[in-house]
Amino acid sequence: MLRKFEDAYKHKGLRNGLTDKLRLKGIKDETVLKAINTVPRHFFIPSEFEIHAYEDKAFPIGSGQTISQPYTVAYQTQLLQLLVGDKVLEIGTGSGYQASVLLACGANVYSIERHASLSKQAATILKLIGNQNLNLKVGDGTLGWQEHAPFNKIIVTAGAPSVPKVLFNQLIEGGFLVIPVGNDTKQKMVRITKLAGNEIKTEIFEDFSFVPLIGENGWQ
Ligand code: SAH
C-alpha cells in the first residue's frame, strides 16, 4: 500500500509539545526550536512508529540504523550556531530528519550516507517536503566531500573513535565540527573549532549514544 504523507493539525500540535519539551531540556536557540516545530518528523519514521514521532525518542529506520532523538538533533544543531547560507556537511544522512532540520535553519546541506537504501528513502521524503539547497551522496563520509570543501560547519551523526583529520581539513577557518567521540556504546559530544593557522580549539559536552561511524577514518 502506498503511504499517505499528511501534515495535519494533530501533528502540528504534537510538534508544539515536543518543542516545549526541548526548551525545558535546555535547548535555547530559537532558530533550532522553530526548525523542530516546522519539520514533519513523522514523515521520516516507519509507518508503524508514526504515532510516536513526536516523543523524544530514537527509532529504527532500517539497515540496523536509527533516526536520532529530537533532543540530540536539537543539541547538535544548536552547537553548530548556524547562519543562513552556511554550507554544512552532514555525515550520516540516515532518515534525512537532521538534514531537514539543518535546511529549515537556512543551511545549504551536503549529506553523505553509506547505506544506499537509506539515502534513497531520505531523498524521496526530502523531495516531498520540497527542500532545496540539498545534495546527497552515497559513500564513506569519514573521507569528507572534497569537491565541495571547504564547509562552514560539519556535523557527524554517528559515534566516532576519534576526530577524523580529513574532516577538520575541510572546514573553513572559524568553522565548527560537531562530532560524538567515544566507544561503541557511549560518546561525548565534541565541538572542534578551526582557528587561524590551523590551530584547534576543542570543547567537550554531554554524553550521547550513537550508532557507530563506520569507514576508513572511523570504526573498521
Ligand atoms: N542524521 C540521521 C541519523 C542517522 S544514524 C537522522 O537524522 O536520521 C547515523 C547514520 O550514519 C546511519 O544511517 C549510518 O548508516 C550512517 N553512517 C555510519 N558511518 C558512516 C560513514 N562513514 N559515512 C556515511 N554514513 C555513515
Side-chain angles (χ1 to χ4, degrees):
M1 197 179 71
L2 214 57
R3 182 166 167 196
K4 197 167 141 219
F5 290 98
E6 189 192 9
D7 194 25
Y9 278 119
K10 174 184 78 177
H11 299 116
K12 289 178 183 138
L14 291 170
R15 271 206 296 284
N16 279 330
L18 173 63
T19 309
D20 289 344
K21 190 178 272 176
L22 296 183
R23 212 185 279 277
L24 285 174
K25 283 190 171 179
I27 303 298
K28 293 191 174 68
D29 186 323
E30 287 300 326
T31 308
V32 175
L33 290 165
K34 196 170 164 209
I36 298 280
N37 207 14
T38 310
V39 177
R41 187 172 188 252
H42 60 289
F43 285 16
F44 296 91
I45 292 210
S47 50
E48 63 267 36
F49 297 114
E50 206 189 292
I51 53 161
H52 302 294
Y54 296 103
E55 292 169 18
D56 192 16
K57 286 186 188 153
F59 289 103
I61 52 172
S63 304
Q65 306 304 324
T66 53
I67 178 172
S68 301
Q69 195 184 332
Y71 175 69
T72 308
V73 171
Y75 194 96
Q76 286 199 282
T77 312
Q78 179 167 271
L79 285 180
L80 289 177
Q81 297 181 1
L82 291 174
L83 301 173
V84 172
D86 266 353
K87 202 166 156 186
V88 180
L89 174 65
E90 178 192 26
I91 316 301
T93 314
S95 67
Y97 176 66
Q98 169 75 73
S100 193
V101 169
L102 296 170
L103 288 159
C105 291
N108 294 328
V109 178
Y110 295 80
S111 185
I112 309 176
E113 169 58 53
R114 59 188 288 270
H115 289 288
S117 57
L118 291 180
S119 183
K120 199 170 159 219
Q121 207 173 302
T124 307
I125 305 298
L126 288 162
K127 195 169 165 208
L128 187 81
I129 296 179
N131 287 136
Q132 310 277 320
N133 306 325
L134 173 70
N135 294 274
L136 298 177
K137 172 178 156 173
V138 175
D140 179 3
T142 68
L143 304 173
W145 198 340
Q146 188 56 47
E147 301 93 291
H148 293 289
F151 299 95
N152 297 94
K153 317 275 161 73
I154 300 178
I155 173 174
V156 179
T157 68
S162 58
V163 178
K165 186 85 172 71
V166 57
L167 295 184
F168 177 79
N169 291 341
Q170 292 183 14
L171 278 177
I172 61 151
E173 192 177 300
F176 292 140
L177 164 60
V178 172
I179 177 168
V181 182
N183 59 30
D184 55 355
T185 52
K186 205 163 115 183
Q187 306 89 28
K188 294 249 177 239
M189 194 61 75
V190 176
R191 179 169 63 188
I192 304 285
T193 310
K194 186 171 188 170
L195 303 172
N198 277 344
E199 287 290 313
I200 304 175
K201 176 179 163 190
T202 305
E203 297 164 279
I204 298 171
F205 299 92
E206 291 172 31
D207 283 343
F208 289 88
S209 183
F210 284 82
V211 297
L213 179 73
I214 295 166
E216 203 169 308
N217 299 307
W219 297 100
Q220 304 295 312

